[in-house]
């Protein structure tokens, strides 16, 4: 076969593929012998072997979409993509690249995992959601299928907090999915959902909540709006002790170093001071690197707030740990 005829045939084969991914059996139906397919997947060939009986019609490393298509071809039987690849297709940015495509398959099928295609057979097979032509598990199922395989608490926190913040996955629905699905790997997501229910909006706030619980002080409120006696907005502290009007802010360099962010922080602190609120500022790094010192600072701030008359600051909403 000369170069010109090969290019024409390659284009025809690509038209029968999914983003360049195709079964070897389909190639044979199109007139490409098993021997030719084998040879083209060897070093120096034009194609790449992805999974048993599945070929990429190129020699480059497969894209995420090509890996998804190959995994779906491998599983067959109306399989769904779940886990972190599904979560990314729903728009989440925090899920890590775990190096595999997680698939759900009805329990009665006997397809096994192979290579980067991880097949999980389930009796609670969900109705698919379609995104960009890919059948996905529903958002709550996809997110939980991903995090229940993770043991890093902050990774689980960042994913579940982002999913809740973007309203992709409602915490109530996540809990219901945890209660009805497999119990394997659900203890950590349950603890993180408790933090989200309390009101934390970031991994740093979740770390801060753990530090606060070591102070022995009354449980704070989280992210509640404060107003003066005449109704002017004061601020929305990360943590708030209403009984003594003590605010604790977790101020990271990342989110407060820009000109506008820095000006907003100064303005916020000025409103706290004018209203008589005692405020403590802590960086996320110190929560990890020196939690004992932070505990001492929180206790000291609380004592200062307790030793002066409480100012007439009003809290409009509350959630107590």
């Amino acid at each position: 076969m000369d170069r010109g005829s090969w290019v024409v045939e390659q284009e025809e084969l690509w038209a029968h593929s999914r983003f360049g991914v195709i079964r070897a059996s389909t190639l044979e139906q199109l007139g490409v012998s098993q021997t030719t397919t084998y040879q083209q997947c060897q070093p120096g060939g034009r194609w790449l072997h992805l999974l048993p009986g599945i070929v990429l019609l190129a020699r480059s490393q497969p894209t995420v979409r090509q890996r998804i298509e190959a995994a779906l071809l491998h599983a067959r039987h109306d399989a769904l993509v779940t886990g972190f690849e599904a979560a990314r297709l729903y728009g989440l940015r925090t899920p890590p690249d775990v190096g595999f495509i997680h698939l759900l398959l009805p329990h009665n099928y006997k397809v096994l995992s192979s290579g980067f295609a991880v097949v999980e057979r389930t009796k609670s097979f969900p109705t698919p959601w379609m995104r960009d032509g890919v059948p996905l598990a529903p958002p709550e199922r996809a997110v939980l299928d991903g995090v229940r395989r993770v043991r890093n608490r902050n990774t689980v926190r960042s994913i579940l907090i982002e999913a809740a913040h973007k309203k992709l996955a409602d915490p109530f629905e996540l809990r219901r999915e945890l209660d009805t699905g497999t119990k394997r790997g659900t203890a950590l997501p349950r603890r993180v959902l408790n933090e989200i229910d309390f009101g934390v909006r970031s991994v740093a706030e979740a770390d801060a909540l753990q530090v606060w619980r070591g102070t022995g002080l009354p449980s704070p409120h989280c992210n509640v709006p404060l107003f003066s006696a005449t109704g002017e907005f004061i601020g929305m502290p990360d943590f708030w002790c209403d009984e003594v009007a003590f605010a604790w802010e977790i101020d990271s360099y990342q989110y407060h170093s820009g000109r506008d962010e820095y000006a907003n922080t100064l303005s916020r602190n000025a409103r706290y001071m004018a209203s008589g609120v005692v405020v403590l500022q802590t960086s996320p790094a110190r929560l990890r690197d020196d939690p004992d010192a932070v505990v001492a600072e929180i206790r000291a701030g609380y004592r200062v707030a307790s030793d002066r008359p409480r100012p007439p600051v009003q809290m409009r909403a509350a959630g107590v740990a």
Side-chain angles (χ1 to χ4, degrees):
M1 180 181 296
D2 60 37
R3 177 176 174 82
S5 63
W6 174 263
V7 170
V8 172
E9 185 164 323
Q10 179 84 348
E11 291 177 351
E12 181 180 348
L13 296 178
W14 191 279
H16 287 85
S17 72
R18 291 284 295 171
F19 297 88
V21 178
I22 192 168
R23 286 196 179 98
S25 59
T26 303
L27 288 172
E28 191 171 9
Q29 293 171 5
L30 294 170
V32 180
S33 69
Q34 294 180 8
T35 299
T36 298
T37 297
Y38 175 79
Q39 290 173 343
Q40 292 302 324
C41 291
Q42 295 303 301
R46 293 178 172 87
W47 301 342
L48 195 66
H49 175 262
L50 295 180
L51 292 170
I54 299 172
V55 171
L56 174 63
L57 298 174
R59 201 65 191 176
S60 58
Q61 285 299 310
T63 65
V64 171
R65 181 57 184 267
Q66 288 168 336
R67 284 157 54 89
I68 288 173
E69 294 297 339
L72 289 170
L73 285 177
H74 169 75
R76 305 184 304 277
H77 307 302
D78 298 322
L80 305 180
V81 178
T82 191
F84 291 154
E85 291 302 342
R88 274 192 281 270
L89 286 172
Y90 281 124
L92 295 192
R93 301 178 64 182
T94 51
D97 182 4
V98 291
F100 61 84
I101 308 299
H102 189 177
L103 303 168
L104 292 180
L105 201 62
H107 191 266
N108 55 304
Y109 294 114
K110 305 300 182 183
V111 179
L112 300 178
S113 299
S114 180
F116 56 78
V118 174
V119 179
E120 179 180 346
R121 297 184 299 122
T122 177
K123 293 180 180 178
S124 56
F125 191 76
T127 301
W129 288 41
M130 299 299 295
R131 287 292 185 278
D132 193 24
V134 179
L136 306 179
E140 289 83 7
R141 179 69 177 272
V143 169
L144 291 176
D145 279 346
V147 299
R148 65 184 174 84
R149 290 172 173 260
V150 174
R151 297 296 176 264
N152 183 281
R153 180 172 60 184
N154 281 346
T155 299
V156 175
R157 281 172 168 170
S158 63
I159 295 166
L160 292 183
I161 288 172
E162 184 190 9
H165 179 70
K166 290 185 174 180
K167 301 187 184 304
L168 174 65
D170 179 77
F172 175 80
E173 294 299 329
L174 287 169
R175 285 188 181 278
R176 185 162 66 176
E177 183 66 39
L178 285 174
D179 291 337
T180 58
T182 178
K183 300 301 184 289
R184 185 176 67 255
T186 61
L188 181 54
R190 288 181 190 277
R191 290 197 294 271
V192 172
L193 286 175
N194 287 339
E195 295 171 343
I196 294 174
D197 287 344
F198 173 64
V200 298
R201 298 179 178 177
S202 68
V203 171
E205 288 182 10
D207 288 337
L209 181 59
Q210 292 298 112
V211 171
W212 183 285
R213 286 171 174 166
T215 65
L217 297 173
S219 293
H221 302 275
C222 187
N223 291 305
V224 290
L226 305 179
F227 296 86
S228 69
T230 54
E232 289 85 7
F233 176 73
I234 299 172
M236 184 178 290
D238 295 325
F239 296 93
W240 172 250
C241 278
D242 194 57
E243 62 272 19
V244 297
F246 171 48
W248 184 28
E249 296 281 8
I250 312 303
D251 290 339
S252 68
Y253 178 81
Q254 178 182 1
Y255 293 106
H256 296 266
S257 60
R259 178 183 298 178
D260 292 341
E261 292 80 2
Y262 182 66
N264 290 337
T265 300
L266 292 179
S267 177
R268 178 203 68 189
N269 290 349
R271 294 195 301 272
Y272 281 147
M273 183 180 67
S275 302
V277 170
V278 174
V279 59
L280 172 67
Q281 293 173 267
T282 303
S283 71
R286 293 195 66 236
L287 297 171
R288 300 186 301 269
D289 299 340
D290 202 0
D292 291 341
V294 175
V295 165
E297 292 165 2
I298 295 171
R299 289 170 175 164
Y302 189 90
R303 284 196 301 271
V304 170
S306 300
D307 289 342
R308 57 84 164 99
R310 188 194 184 286
V313 176
Q314 300 174 351
M315 178 180 67
R316 292 286 174 88
V320 181

